[in-house]
Amino acid sequence: MDSDIREGEVALDFDPGAKADGSVSFIGWIQTPWKERGSAPRNLIQARERTSEPAHLVLQPAYGPGLSCLEGYSHVVVLYWMDRARRDLILQWPRHSDRARGVFSLRSPVRPNPIALGIVPLLGVDQDMARVTVGPLDCLDGTPLLDIKPYHASTDAYPNAVSS
Amino acid sequence: MDSDIREGEVALDFDPGAKADGSVSFIGWIQTPWKERGSAPRNLIQARERTSEPAHLVLQPAYGPGLSCLEGYSHVVVLYWMDRARRDLILQWPRHSDRARGVFSLRSPVRPNPIALGIVPLLGVDQDMARVTVGPLDCLDGTPLLDIKPYHASTDAYPNAVSS
């Protein structure tokens, strides 16, 4: 795996993926137009620029009742599992960056716990089919789904948030 | 565990916590003023109303370098592990609600994957001490920390999001 490391990048001397403090259970999968890693968008903005095609959250049937009352929300938080990424790169040198950066200052899928977060418009809920339609997501087709949460502007929206 | 169930609530016929599709590794712990479950706030709004005391994200020392460049952000997304909650309640009847609701329409810690999400102002980063200070959080003191991500207004802020 170390052959993938770029100059300036630093790996931990252990693999966080080998240390199981808790377990996640996939509640379903995400359908997107992105079939191959090389051609997938790198983030949500790129995904929106490249398609208007919605993403589908396909839940295992047992989880269908959990969608009750979700349809009242305009936006949702989607958590998914970036299971193809290594987990040990503590400093990473992103393309277009002038330096290596700490993993916690990046939204990279490469992180100790490969949980990705997408906030998207909610377009439709089919509880009987255990299926949710949302705005474009940036993940590969078939990415495991961990959670759906309602988005609350009161606690989640900081339109004046900045980075320097 | 079923003795905790309220009228109208429905449990899955399996425990998602017993089905390990992937593993999480705790990167640290969260320090808050809330020492006991009964007296902890139920959400971020209650936490802010009840204290102005910041929360501290205390990382394991190996993860300290991962905080590099985080200080440039005004807000962060914090993911934490609600390890004391059951995971099988697919329909839940929250206090102050007139009906049972699907788990995915709630921010309840009781969910198939007990990953909680808090978006908070970033108040300070001490990379050498592997310690981050943020606005008030609603979780119990000692809650396991899973991830810190930079907050981007461009993809994360929907101030006009609504629920009906």
Side-chain angles (χ1 to χ4, degrees):
Chain A
M1 236 172 18
D2 280 351
S3 58
D4 294 336
I5 208 163
R6 302 182 207 177
E7 195 178 336
E9 296 192 327
V10 174
L12 295 165
D13 60 7
F14 61 95
D15 175 10
K19 189 171 149 290
D21 293 317
S23 67
V24 295
S25 183
F26 302 157
I27 63 167
W29 287 269
I30 304 181
Q31 290 178 345
T32 71
W34 324 113
K35 310 296 180 194
E36 285 170 36
R37 206 170 175 176
S39 58
R42 278 200 297 274
N43 52 51
L44 276 182
I45 291 180
Q46 276 195 1
R48 287 182 206 154
E49 285 169 354
R50 287 169 53 185
T51 188
S52 56
E53 201 175 316
H56 300 285
L57 315 179
V58 182
L59 278 69
Q60 298 187 49
Y63 291 108
L67 297 173
S68 165
C69 303
L70 183 64
E71 70 281 356
Y73 289 90
S74 64
H75 294 74
V76 291
V77 180
V78 182
L79 298 183
Y80 40 104
W81 189 251
M82 304 303 273
D83 58 346
R84 301 208 197 174
R86 65 187 288 176
R87 296 171 63 162
D88 64 340
L89 280 192
I90 194 78
L91 284 178
Q92 300 174 34
W93 200 310
R95 289 169 220 278
H96 312 300
S97 175
D98 60 354
R99 56 182 164 164
R101 300 171 62 98
V103 60
F104 303 119
S105 75
L106 298 168
R107 294 285 278 259
S108 163
V110 174
R111 53 202 316 116
N113 290 300
I115 302 165
L117 162 77
I119 296 171
V120 282
L122 176 62
L123 304 176
V125 178
D126 185 332
Q127 193 184 321
D128 292 337
M129 294 292 286
R131 195 177 155 99
V132 179
T133 306
V134 297
L137 280 169
D138 53 1
C139 58
L140 281 177
D141 188 48
T143 294
L145 178 66
L146 294 180
D147 202 4
I148 305 170
K149 298 179 192 292
Y151 182 87
H152 296 147
S154 57
T155 51
D156 303 328
Y158 289 92
N160 301 318
V162 293
S163 65
S164 59
Chain B
M1 235 171 20
D2 280 351
S3 58
D4 294 336
I5 206 164
R6 301 182 207 175
E7 196 179 336
E9 296 193 327
V10 174
L12 295 166
D13 60 7
F14 61 95
D15 175 11
K19 190 171 151 288
D21 293 316
S23 66
V24 295
S25 183
F26 301 157
I27 64 167
W29 287 269
I30 304 182
Q31 290 177 347
T32 71
W34 325 114
K35 310 296 180 195
E36 285 171 35
R37 208 170 172 175
S39 58
R42 279 201 296 276
N43 54 49
L44 275 183
I45 290 180
Q46 276 196 0
R48 286 182 207 155
E49 285 168 356
R50 288 170 52 185
T51 188
S52 56
E53 202 177 315
H56 299 284
L57 315 177
V58 182
L59 278 69
Q60 297 188 49
Y63 290 108
L67 297 173
S68 164
C69 303
L70 183 63
E71 70 281 356
Y73 288 90
S74 64
H75 293 75
V76 290
V77 180
V78 182
L79 298 183
Y80 40 105
W81 189 249
M82 304 301 273
D83 58 347
R84 300 209 198 173
R86 64 188 288 175
R87 296 170 63 162
D88 64 342
L89 280 191
I90 194 79
L91 283 179
Q92 300 174 35
W93 200 311
R95 287 169 223 276
H96 311 301
S97 175
D98 61 353
R99 55 180 165 165
R101 301 171 60 99
V103 59
F104 303 121
S105 75
L106 298 169
R107 294 285 278 258
S108 164
V110 173
R111 53 202 317 114
N113 291 299
I115 302 165
L117 163 76
I119 297 172
V120 282
L122 176 63
L123 304 177
V125 177
D126 185 333
Q127 193 183 320
D128 293 336
M129 293 291 287
R131 194 178 157 99
V132 179
T133 306
V134 297
L137 280 169
D138 54 1
C139 58
L140 282 176
D141 188 48
T143 295
L145 177 67
L146 294 179
D147 203 3
I148 305 169
K149 298 180 191 292
Y151 182 85
H152 295 147
S154 57
T155 52
D156 304 327
Y158 289 93
N160 301 317
V162 291
S163 65
S164 59

